[in-house]
Amino acid sequence: MIDHGAAAEQGRLTRATAGWLRRAPGALEPFLAESRLNISGVAIVALVLLLAVFGPLIAPQNPDQINLLAVLQPPSVHHWFGTDNLGRDLFSRVLVGTRISVEVAVIILSLSVTFGTAVGIVSGLVGGLFDEIVMRVTDLFLAFPGFILAAAIAATLGPSLQHTVLALAVVFWPWYTRLIRGQVLSLREREFVLAARVARAGTMWIATRHLLRNVLAIVVVQVSLDVGYAILATSSLSFLGLGAQPPSPEWGAIIAEGRSYIQTAWWWSTFAGMALALTVLGFNLLGDGLRDWIDPRLRGSIGGLQE
């Protein structure tokens, strides 16, 4: 009797997540039809991803090639975004920088989501002293503003893009741990989890077979929202000199190099800044659209994706 009730309960819990995953391959059209903002978000993100994959291949020039005969040239047919103080083609540098920004965001979120989700599930499921220790550790990280903490870590480790990735991953994981733990706390007393415990299923079995798929939707939504912030934070650290170092064509580094020439060569920082702003906007629009589309009741709040 317990097994039948557990099966029914699990079906109710996973309806939104599993149904969304089943519809995902053919659900693009309904998603786009729901809002013009969804269309804009998907279009921008698709363009960014395409440029990240093919940007270095279609770049008209080598992004690091110095041409002292073309120093600080304004936008033209030959140099669409102009050139910098070494004659490097800024259009090519911005294209190549797209791949760097996307790759960095993927690495940051892969590390933080994997670690944070795993710790959050185990913490919420096990409870007790382990849960208390995990929560106090996350409170320690969340007590500081995220960007300030990331900057402090990056400055301590030394200026480099690798250290920026590590610093931001350290800042991101506590948010996922608390988010997932909250969801697990609302699930661990449900009948399907209790039935698994009665059947003497191990913690890892319950975590991977019963809880992980129930928190999948909220993780997807949160990741889609955090991609833009990860890109923005990376560029911000590079702008401060703590991230990518010259001659890297990372967007933040390009903007930082061009700030001294903003009055005489406005194009240097402007186009990289526009690319950064458009990318962050696209991922934010996509994340908001996914949140509202998966569960319309969650408009304005990400806290209750799980039924």
Side-chain angles (χ1 to χ4, degrees), residues 109 172 176 219-230 280 283-291 302:
L109 292 177
F172 270 87
Y176 284 94
V219 170
V220 171
V221 173
Q222 190 62 44
V223 167
S224 65
L225 290 168
D226 283 344
V227 171
Y229 179 73
V280 174
F283 279 104
N284 285 345
L285 291 176
L286 178 62
D288 288 338
L290 283 175
R291 179 191 59 200
I302 193 172

Side-chain angles (χ1 to χ4, degrees), residues 8 24 39 56 61 67 72 138-139 148 154 169 232 243:
I39 298 176
Q61 298 184 24
N67 183 3
L72 295 179
T138 59
D139 288 341
I148 301 300
L232 180 60

Side-chain angles (χ1 to χ4, degrees), residues 173-203:
W173 77 264
W175 294 97
Y176 284 94
T177 295
R178 293 190 68 91
L179 178 67
I180 300 305
R181 173 186 175 270
Q183 297 297 311
V184 171
L185 289 178
S186 69
L187 295 173
R188 69 179 185 180
E189 301 302 328
R190 300 295 180 93
E191 291 183 3
F192 70 93
V193 176
L194 297 178
R197 290 185 182 277
V198 171
R200 296 185 178 181
T203 300

Side-chain angles (χ1 to χ4, degrees), residues 269-293:
S269 296
T270 299
F271 289 109
M274 291 174 60
L276 175 61
L278 188 64
T279 300
V280 174
L281 174 64
F283 279 104
N284 285 345
L285 291 176
L286 178 62
D288 288 338
L290 283 175
R291 179 191 59 200
D292 296 341
W293 184 62

Side-chain angles (χ1 to χ4, degrees), residues 73-97:
Q73 290 191 357
S76 64
V77 176
H78 301 290
H79 302 284
W80 290 3
F81 290 178
T83 62
D84 60 14
N85 62 337
L86 296 177
R88 295 173 297 189
D89 182 62
L90 289 173
F91 179 68
S92 301
R93 291 179 64 78
V94 171
L95 283 181
V96 175

